[in-house]
Amino acid sequence: MSLSVPDLNFRVIAPALIVALTALIVLLAELVTPAPRKRWLGVLGLIGLLIAAGATVGLWGAPASAFGGMVVADNFGLFLTLVILLGAALSILLALDFVRAHRVDQGEYYVLVLFAVVGMILMATATDLIVIFLALELLSLPLYILAAFKRADARSLEAGLKYFLLGAFSSAFFLYGIAFIFGGTGTTNLMKIADALAKNPRNDLLLVGAGLLLVGFAFKVALVPFHWWTPDVYDGAPTAVTAFMSVGVKAAAFGAFFRAFLVALPAFAFDWRIVLAALAVLTMTLGNVAALLQSNVKRMLAYSSIAHAGYILIALVAMGASGLSSALFYLLAYTLTNLGAFGAVIALSDGERERLEIRDWGGAARQYPFIAAMFAIFMLSLAGFPPLAGFTGKFLIFSAAVETGWAWLAVIGVLNSLVSAYFYLRPIVQMYMSEPVPGWDRIRVAPLVALALVLALIGVIALGLYPTPAIVMATGGFLR
Amino acid sequence: MESIPFYFLAALAVLAALGVVVMRDPVYSALALAVVLTALAGLYVLLSAPFLAAAQVMIYAGAILILFVFVIMLLSPGREGDAPRGALKWQRPLAVIFGGALVAQLALVLLMTILPTGRGLYTPEYLAQIGSTQAVGAALFTDYLLPFEITSLLLLVAMVGVIVLAKKKS
């Protein structure tokens, strides 16, 4: 028999390939690295991420697909790849000192982060449901382990176990959805599903499949009512891990979410946008209202990340070029801002003790004037104050919604942003207006954490003041 | 007539799967799982995929199930007790309502839909010509090369993860 080998265009998956190679090198180097030098493994990982970013830029502007249409390197996927690499690099910078302070200074930490990045990149660039599913597992499995990485802490173990059980459950929904879609169309390739739909727009099996797929995606990006795991996992996981997963998973899963619905399902007779609009309203409202009630900073940021998933969902409802580019810009802005916010939590901690309760933040502005100012700016950006990145992102998403006739959704989004200002301002007020809390003295901030915060800050301000280059980059769109 | 073995095996798989969930003793659950996996192997035989059936029996019903039984033996968890009373009592009725609604929806769609028929690439004649094992190998290393390689990374991550979580603290 003769075999026809598909187009093995390794250039197309070069970014993922480079990160995977880096992960393998770090895994082997871990064996010969003495305990005090483990942080150099993180530096090695950073170098790999940088090279992968270079390869991603090299692929820019020339969309190509490979492996029989299973992955593509289009500008949508490459933009998300850059967002994921940026988020991973900043979170490794945050982790280098964090893992030592928490006595989990092992090389496997960086290995698992890098493997999760491989899964995220593949998920954002995959055009076949099988690859999307495997990439989803490849990004989830390391995160389950990382959430439980601080084994001495029962809450970290609980977070890992909870994330694992619920994640495996949601993966089953996702896989069942893929099976139904395959049953209805005979293919798992997104473009071929679109072709099958164009011939026969009323496809009940596909309807069920898409619904189950939606449950899987909704779990991963934490949409209400599939968000229950988020506060517990974000709160229990080590803060550096929470920072990484709050941004990386969102970028990757929203990438596949957008691609699956906008490439495969636009010809669907059933208007799924009304379902997504309802989910967006629920997610924004419940996320913001629940965040109002939190006294713990990590839980507050967890509910805030749920609310932001709701805003991004508006862009999916809006569809079209403006919806797509606004979502990409928002994910970039959210990545920088959220990493900055979690980075500030890490910067203000005292060894293993973290200031998790908002009342502990009293007087922090006097002890750490620079960190406090940066944290305040990140909070304002999350709330959507001009001229910061968060404002531009929200502006783009809401105007995309208005353009496409979803003005009422934009209005609910704006009202939600107003509500959110209250809980984003509360820690700022606490830092600047209250007396220092006894037991919390000024500790030297690790220089690498400060560096990560400054880099995120530069990004947040630059994207707010001069967003044009990023917006232009974000308008690449899909390769179909 | 030829659909009788299919319905028999399918019903067996579903009943045994229910058994996995319902049984209180984990050893019984594991044995019920063995029945599910073997019934699936039978379905593969009906689909003219003897290689998949053999692999299913050896890997799932054989190796993986034995590992399950070993783990149960080492941990000896005993019978599952009742859920603690009072804790989250409202969950059970909600689970019944929503789970029932989901099952009803799926059943409704499946009853309403005329399943698409037609012959795919892997017809019995084609498989007889090139061989079932060769067909699996060819698919894995051509069309599904990328998923195959991603799976290998996934297994590596699982191994690293188990070691990270299980090794003694140094």
Side-chain angles (χ1 to χ4, degrees):
Chain A
M1 71 186 276
S2 67
L3 291 179
S4 63
V5 180
D7 40 343
L8 298 178
N9 192 351
F10 285 106
R11 249 175 64 86
V12 168
I13 56 164
L17 217 52
I18 291 168
V19 180
L21 265 178
T22 313
L24 293 176
I25 292 170
V26 174
L27 186 61
L28 290 177
E30 142 83 10
L31 292 175
V32 292
T33 312
R37 300 226 179 96
K38 295 288 189 204
R39 63 159 50 197
W40 289 104
L41 298 169
V43 176
L44 202 59
L46 277 177
I47 294 170
L49 292 175
L50 217 62
I51 299 173
T56 314
V57 174
L59 286 166
W60 192 264
S65 83
F67 293 95
M70 287 210 169
V71 279
V72 289
D74 53 7
N75 285 4
F76 176 81
L78 292 176
F79 190 95
L80 284 176
T81 304
L82 285 177
V83 171
I84 291 162
L85 290 171
L86 178 70
L90 285 179
S91 63
I92 285 185
L93 269 184
L94 290 177
L96 285 171
D97 288 292
F98 178 89
V99 289
R100 187 173 290 178
H102 287 253
R103 286 173 291 167
V104 285
D105 198 0
Q106 302 168 21
E108 288 91 351
Y109 183 94
Y110 310 110
V111 176
L112 291 169
V113 168
L114 291 170
F115 275 128
V117 171
V118 178
M120 289 167 185
I121 294 175
L122 285 170
M123 194 167 180
T125 53
T127 49
D128 192 292
L129 289 173
I130 290 184
V131 179
I132 292 179
F133 173 71
L134 285 172
L136 178 70
E137 290 301 293
L138 184 56
L139 81 84
S140 302
L141 207 54
L143 290 177
Y144 302 148
I145 301 155
L146 284 171
F149 206 78
K150 197 176 172 194
R151 284 186 298 150
D153 182 357
R155 286 175 351 115
S156 171
L157 288 175
E158 185 198 331
L161 189 63
K162 207 171 247 177
Y163 196 22
F164 172 65
L165 286 176
L166 290 173
F169 188 58
S170 79
S171 290
F173 275 91
F174 198 85
L175 206 52
Y176 205 28
I178 295 177
F180 268 100
I181 291 175
F182 185 75
T185 62
T187 179
T188 51
N189 184 291
L190 297 179
M191 284 80 130
K192 288 183 188 151
I193 293 170
D195 293 343
L197 260 183
K199 280 185 211 126
N200 171 23
R202 223 192 98 83
N203 189 330
D204 291 335
L205 284 181
L206 186 56
L207 179 62
V208 175
L212 293 168
L213 212 58
L214 175 63
V215 173
F217 280 127
F219 178 87
K220 279 295 158 195
V221 300
L223 298 180
V224 177
F226 306 101
H227 68 288
W228 298 101
W229 58 276
T230 317
D232 288 350
V233 173
Y234 278 24
D235 182 25
T239 310
V241 175
T242 312
F244 174 55
M245 70 181 167
S246 74
V247 297
V249 177
K250 283 246 189 326
F254 262 119
F257 195 176
F258 272 60
R259 204 187 281 277
F261 276 69
L262 295 180
V263 171
L265 300 181
F268 215 168
F270 176 76
D271 191 5
W272 41 265
R273 291 192 296 169
I274 192 72
V275 177
L276 295 188
L279 279 180
V281 171
L282 270 179
T283 306
M284 287 185 296
T285 313
L286 212 126
N288 281 321
V289 170
L292 284 177
L293 306 173
Q294 303 306 316
S295 63
N296 175 311
V297 180
K298 272 166 95 179
R299 289 185 88 83
M300 187 267 273
L301 285 171
Y303 279 110
S304 130
S305 85
I306 293 172
H308 283 278
Y311 299 131
I312 300 170
L313 199 59
I314 295 181
L316 179 53
V317 173
M319 293 173 73
S322 56
L324 208 57
S325 63
S326 65
L328 287 181
F329 185 91
Y330 201 95
L331 281 167
L332 174 61
Y334 167 80
T335 296
L336 287 167
T337 317
N338 225 37
L339 277 175
F342 278 112
V345 177
I346 292 175
L348 262 57
S349 57
D350 170 8
E352 271 190 276
R353 274 176 76 224
E354 292 178 307
R355 297 193 196 214
L356 294 181
E357 293 299 317
I358 290 174
R359 60 171 185 278
D360 292 339
W361 289 56
R366 231 170 294 164
Q367 295 168 329
Y368 303 88
F370 289 110
I371 302 280
M374 285 196 273
F375 182 74
I377 290 175
F378 294 133
M379 286 291 116
L380 292 175
S381 171
L382 282 175
F385 279 78
L388 299 166
F391 168 75
T392 320
K394 280 202 175 104
F395 177 78
L396 289 173
I397 284 189
F398 294 154
S399 55
V402 172
E403 258 173 50
T404 49
W406 292 89
W408 64 271
L409 203 52
V411 170
I412 294 178
V414 171
L415 289 176
N416 262 295
S417 305
L418 289 178
V419 173
S420 74
Y422 174 75
F423 63 81
Y424 288 128
L425 290 175
R426 212 161 48 148
I428 303 180
V429 171
Q430 187 74 11
M431 283 193 308
Y432 281 93
M433 312 280 183
S434 302
E435 291 300 310
V437 181
W440 289 102
D441 301 320
R442 186 183 151 66
I443 308 288
R444 200 181 70 95
V445 175
L448 289 172
V449 173
L451 173 68
L453 282 175
V454 169
L455 289 176
L457 183 76
I458 292 171
V460 166
I461 292 176
L463 282 178
L465 289 178
Y466 187 50
T468 321
I471 295 175
V472 170
M473 272 180 85
T475 39
F478 299 124
L479 174 74
R480 280 169 206 253
Chain B
M1 225 21 206
E2 65 186 45
S3 57
I4 289 176
F6 167 78
Y7 283 114
F8 173 72
L9 287 170
L12 185 65
V14 172
L15 285 177
L18 273 176
V20 177
V21 183
V22 173
M23 299 285 190
R24 285 288 172 86
D25 192 323
V27 180
Y28 288 162
S29 284
L31 292 179
L33 187 60
V35 177
V36 177
L37 298 170
T38 317
L40 290 182
L43 289 177
Y44 294 152
V45 171
L46 291 183
L47 289 168
S48 328
F51 175 75
L52 276 188
Q56 167 86 5
V57 169
M58 282 195 290
I59 298 168
Y60 284 94
I64 290 184
L65 212 86
I66 289 190
L67 280 180
F68 276 165
V69 175
F70 266 126
V71 170
I72 293 169
M73 191 185 77
L74 289 174
L75 296 178
S76 55
R79 279 170 60 87
E80 218 175 285
D82 284 316
R85 294 209 173 273
L88 300 178
K89 227 178 206 164
W90 47 272
Q91 271 190 336
R92 187 169 287 198
L94 275 185
V96 170
I97 293 168
F98 284 109
L102 184 64
V103 170
Q105 271 178 353
L106 292 178
L108 194 69
V109 169
L110 286 177
L111 289 176
M112 274 169 42
T113 316
I114 303 152
L115 291 172
T117 52
R119 292 163 79 86
L121 172 60
Y122 297 104
T123 57
E125 298 82 47
Y126 178 75
L127 287 175
Q129 192 196 334
I130 65 163
S132 152
T133 314
Q134 285 85 339
V136 171
L140 270 188
F141 290 104
T142 58
D143 295 345
Y144 292 94
L145 181 62
L146 183 67
F148 180 75
E149 295 298 342
I150 299 174
T151 314
S152 62
L153 280 187
L154 200 56
L155 294 176
L156 178 63
V157 169
M159 277 195 290
V160 173
V162 167
I163 292 167
V164 166
L165 290 181
K167 82 175 170 193
K168 283 214 176 80
K169 291 211 71 121
S170 48

